[in-house]
């Protein structure tokens, strides 16, 4: 029996031109982009469609932009007779994608989600002065060895495991010197590759506590409904539905580990999911799903052609 989870991409998937083909093809998509623009008081859609790239890549723009494309796809699917509650057993999102997942599942309005992500992006950028934090991808090490590397590299500074993206693909985050030490230690311990990432701040580590505090305040002021299907939370890798717990986990997520390997493992194991549909820009999560569970069927739904094929498969 086919059983779907809908997943939503995180930062790094943004690209100039994102959403432009959707806006040209569907009034529902145009309405979402307009709603986000109005909620933020900026022409974010113009930056998404035309760039420049350096402005789109700013955390405070990339986060709501990625959500906007994901929600545009959700609204187009709804217009074609595909309701999330009827076709998805669970939702999950990678880091900021968790907000997209919750908006898709009705926990937040699109306008509130856009404002929350703007706040989140600004707070994450402000938490650490530029040049004081870094992140690195460590490829080819198991989690136990990665934790050893992080502990050894810290030396009284911050070096935390930030993202467990797939087996052998883990990201660490912290102060520049500690992360540089982690890169060298990882190579010495047999990593296939260890490289600094081109990010503007050290996400998902304890240095982000000021941003977590800002999100606790912002989330306390927003109306939250129970999602129409459970969210498999980044920091738990298990499903939750209670709005108060969702709020708590979203705050923890700012400094906590994105447990993506465990999330997909839970979905395709105890969750009984056979198909993972990635709704939004890019195909990063679809690629990770294959690395986590070779038997899982991953589908990337990004373009109008993807949407048509996905609707045909769901309504067949």
């Amino acid at each position: 029996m086919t059983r779907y989870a809908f997943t939503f991409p995180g930062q790094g998937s943004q690209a100039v031109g994102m959403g432009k083909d959707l806006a040209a093809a569907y009034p529902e998509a145009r309405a979402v982009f307009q709603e986000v623009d109005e909620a933020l008081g900026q022409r974010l859609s113009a930056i998404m469609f035309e760039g420049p790239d350096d402005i789109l890549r700013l955390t405070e723009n990339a986060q709501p932009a990625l959500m906007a494309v994901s929600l545009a796809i959700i609204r187009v699917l709804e217009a074609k007779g595909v309701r999330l509650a009827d076709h998805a057993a669970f939702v999950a999102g990678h880091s900021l994608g968790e907000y997209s997942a919750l908006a898709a599942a009705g926990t937040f309005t699109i306008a509130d989600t856009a404002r929350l992500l703007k706040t989140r992006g600004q707070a994450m950028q402000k938490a650490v002065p530029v040049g004081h934090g870094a992140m690195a991808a460590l490829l080819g090490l198991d989690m136990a060895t990665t934790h050893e590397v992080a502990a050894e590299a810290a030396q009284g500074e911050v070096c935390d495991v930030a993202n467990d993206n797939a087996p052998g693909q883990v990201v660490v985050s912290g102060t520049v010197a500690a992360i540089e030490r982690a890169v060298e230690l990882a190579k010495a311990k047999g990593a296939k590759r260890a490289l600094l990432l081109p990010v503007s701040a050290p996400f998902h580590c304890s240095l982000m506590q000021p941003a977590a505090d800002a999100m606790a305040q912002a989330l306390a002021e927003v109306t939250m409904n129970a999602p129409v299907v459970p969210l498999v939370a980044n920091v738990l890798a298990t499903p939750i539905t209670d709005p108060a717990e969702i709020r708590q986990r979203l705050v923890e997520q700012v400094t906590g580990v994105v447990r993506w390997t465990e999330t997909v493992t839970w979905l395709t194991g105890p969750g009984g999911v056979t198909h993972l549909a990635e709704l939004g820009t890019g195909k990063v999560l679809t690629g990770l799903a294959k690395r986590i569970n070779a038997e899982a069927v991953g589908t990337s739904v990004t373009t109008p052609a993807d949407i048509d094929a996905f609707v045909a498969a769901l309504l067949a």
Side-chain angles (χ1 to χ4, degrees), residues 24 93 130 157 309:
V130 172
E157 295 184 72

Side-chain angles (χ1 to χ4, degrees), residues 115-175:
R115 288 187 286 263
L116 284 168
L117 286 172
K118 188 75 168 178
T119 298
R120 185 176 183 267
Q122 289 172 334
M124 289 171 112
Q125 197 59 66
K126 276 197 301 211
V128 180
V130 172
H132 286 236
M135 297 179 79
L138 311 183
L139 307 181
L141 298 181
D142 60 32
M143 277 303 287
T145 308
T146 304
H147 281 290
E148 282 174 23
V149 166
E152 283 181 42
Q155 296 181 20
E157 295 184 72
V158 174
C159 183
D160 296 340
V161 173
N163 299 30
D164 175 12
N165 286 332
Q169 187 179 329
V170 182
V171 175
V172 291
S173 182
T175 54

Side-chain angles (χ1 to χ4, degrees), residues 88-135:
F90 302 98
V91 292
H94 192 286
S95 190
L96 86 91
E98 198 151 77
Y99 285 80
S100 308
L102 287 163
T107 295
F108 300 123
T109 65
I110 289 175
D112 280 343
T113 311
R115 288 187 286 263
L116 284 168
L117 286 172
K118 188 75 168 178
T119 298
R120 185 176 183 267
Q122 289 172 334
M124 289 171 112
Q125 197 59 66
K126 276 197 301 211
V128 180
V130 172
H132 286 236
M135 297 179 79

Side-chain angles (χ1 to χ4, degrees), residues 166-189:
Q169 187 179 329
V170 182
V171 175
V172 291
S173 182
T175 54
V176 172
I179 296 304
E180 287 173 345
R181 286 193 292 270
V183 166
E184 295 312 311
L185 278 165
K187 289 174 183 171
K189 288 182 185 281

